[in-house]
Amino acid sequence: VPALATDRRFAQHLRERLEEEQLLDGRYQLQQVPGGRVALPVLEEKLSQLCLPLEMPCELVRIQDPVLSRASRRRTPAQKLRDELRRLLGGSWSEELERDVPHAWQRHGDLVLLSEDSFKAALWERLGPALWETVASALGAQRVARRGRVFPDGMRTPSVTLLLGRDGWVEHVDNGIRYTFDVTKCMFSPGNITEKLRVASLPCSGEVLVDLYAGIGYFTLPFLVHAGAAFVHACEWNVHAVEALHRTLVLNGVQDRCHIHHGDNRQLELQDVADRVNLGLIPSSEEGWPVACRVLKKDTGGVLHIHHNVETPPAPARLQTPVLPVERGSPEAAGSDGEAQHPIEDSEKEVLGARIRPEWQRWAEATATRIQELLAELHGRLWSTSILHIEAVKSYAPHVHHLVLDLECRPVLP
């Protein structure tokens, strides 16, 4: 770091002059140098603008190991990254480059996963491969990857490019559960954290559960580790997610309480085994409803957790206040989970709080009726369905909300 070394008697005057002319590099502290002098760090890209009076004796030196100022030690990771890139590029830094630097990312262990709009062309053209080494160093990571758009292939396969490092396998700790997966082949959804926490608190002791869309174990693991489920049948057709789920079960020591069914769950041979069924697929899990009805215990029934995206058209201003109570609501989780996230209007944000919109109630009632019909057709007897709870997980798109219906299903005694 370039600095101006001067006698202690002149240090304060020099500092005031540098601050006035915006030449002082505030990232670093003033430091002592040989000869009883003090060195004031200056911005390298502005060295050519230095014009000091002759009566202020000083000389230009280089500090090999500069000490960060207190303010710099409090800098956010994004600020540290921006400052490091600005230092590397010196006078060629511009507003265009400033816009190219991301403000947020996902971290999985020692890997940083950047969003698809991070570092497009400008910085790459100037720094080349050194850009990713700088990003890793500034953010305290060893590996860097960048997310692209999710492929619409039915498995929501991510398009992720590994920019620095050779292996995409990572470990992520969420609510005390260790997940492992390959970021180039599987996604992790932090946006569903409120539902994972809710699932973890459910009283499932001694129950057998079927998770029809297990993925890497988003809900399978909370049911096993925290909710006390006796056994889980986890259904998943993505071979990469199956491998990740197997490793995650072993990591958490619950592999003996889970069986993975690899393949299309519509072909699942299980029946009459489940006290509880999780249908964690959006925008709709409707194709899995007949399977869920079949795996429920025919003599005692159980509970279905049905995920669905429900459209909530904007109401006229005078009618925007929701009118139906809900047991408890969940605010939208921070961060992106790879789904299409959109800003929502203030009038929509309130529906994620303590009340339910009428559209949600109508969807829940229609779903309860359809499940009741499916169970009656399957077993040739009457069943009752009861809405236990409607959970608002997050906003999925403008006027579209990811909901979960907890539906109790019981055979009607003769």
Side-chain angles (χ1 to χ4, degrees), residues 4 14 57 93 96 108 115 141 153 157 166 170 190 213 277 281 297 305 309 321 357 373 377 394-395 403:
L4 290 174
L14 179 57
W93 189 256
E96 178 189 8
H108 302 294
S115 60
D153 57 1
T157 303
R166 299 180 179 179
V170 299
Y213 306 95
V277 183
L281 181 67
K297 289 182 176 178
H305 301 286
N309 281 352
T321 302
R357 295 294 288 264
E373 293 171 349
E377 292 170 6
K394 63 178 178 293
S395 172
L403 305 183

Side-chain angles (χ1 to χ4, degrees), residues 12-141:
Q12 184 59 33
H13 298 292
L14 179 57
R15 179 174 185 169
E16 291 172 357
R17 184 67 176 263
L18 294 173
E19 286 178 341
E20 182 181 340
E21 298 181 9
Q22 297 183 338
L23 302 177
L24 189 70
D25 192 338
R27 295 174 298 173
Y28 304 103
Q29 292 184 12
L30 278 64
Q31 291 181 240
Q32 292 185 357
V33 291
R37 296 177 299 168
V38 174
L40 294 84
V42 294
L43 294 168
E44 186 160 13
E45 63 268 27
K46 294 189 175 182
L47 282 175
S48 60
Q49 300 177 27
L50 279 173
C51 185
L52 300 174
L54 295 176
E55 66 270 15
M56 192 172 286
C58 58
E59 65 173 319
L60 184 66
V61 297
R62 290 275 175 177
I63 302 176
Q64 298 300 320
D65 298 303
V67 178
L68 291 173
S69 65
R70 290 183 179 180
S72 293
R73 290 197 293 270
R74 292 193 299 267
R75 288 179 304 163
T76 65
Q79 290 170 329
K80 293 178 182 178
L81 174 57
R82 193 176 296 104
D83 288 347
E84 183 62 21
L85 291 169
R86 186 185 293 114
R87 185 189 66 79
L88 284 175
L89 292 167
S92 64
W93 189 256
S94 64
E95 290 186 7
E96 178 189 8
L97 297 179
E98 183 82 20
R99 290 191 298 269
D100 212 22
V101 182
H103 296 279
W105 47 84
Q106 287 184 15
R107 180 181 292 275
H108 302 294
D110 68 351
L111 183 144
V112 166
L113 181 59
L114 303 169
S115 60
E116 61 182 292
D117 58 350
S118 301
F119 298 118
K120 292 183 179 177
L123 282 166
W124 169 257
E125 290 173 355
R126 287 166 173 77
L127 295 175
L131 171 61
W132 311 127
E133 296 176 1
T134 302
V135 171
S137 175
L139 301 183

Side-chain angles (χ1 to χ4, degrees), residues 90-200:
S92 64
W93 189 256
S94 64
E95 290 186 7
E96 178 189 8
L97 297 179
E98 183 82 20
R99 290 191 298 269
D100 212 22
V101 182
H103 296 279
W105 47 84
Q106 287 184 15
R107 180 181 292 275
H108 302 294
D110 68 351
L111 183 144
V112 166
L113 181 59
L114 303 169
S115 60
E116 61 182 292
D117 58 350
S118 301
F119 298 118
K120 292 183 179 177
L123 282 166
W124 169 257
E125 290 173 355
R126 287 166 173 77
L127 295 175
L131 171 61
W132 311 127
E133 296 176 1
T134 302
V135 171
S137 175
L139 301 183
Q142 298 295 320
R143 295 174 291 167
V144 179
R146 182 167 54 197
R147 185 175 59 234
R149 295 191 178 276
V150 176
F151 290 118
D153 57 1
M155 299 186 187
R156 306 196 72 244
T157 303
S159 171
V160 173
T161 303
L162 198 62
L163 305 169
L164 181 66
R166 299 180 179 179
D167 187 344
W169 279 92
V170 299
E171 185 173 316
H172 185 96
V173 179
D174 189 77
N175 191 25
I177 297 171
R178 298 167 64 192
Y179 294 89
T180 184
F181 58 99
D182 186 337
V183 294
T184 66
K185 297 174 181 176
C186 298
M187 285 174 37
F188 188 84
S189 300
N192 292 334
I193 182 62
T194 55
E195 180 61 10
K196 285 182 280 189
L197 291 172
R198 191 179 76 90
V199 159

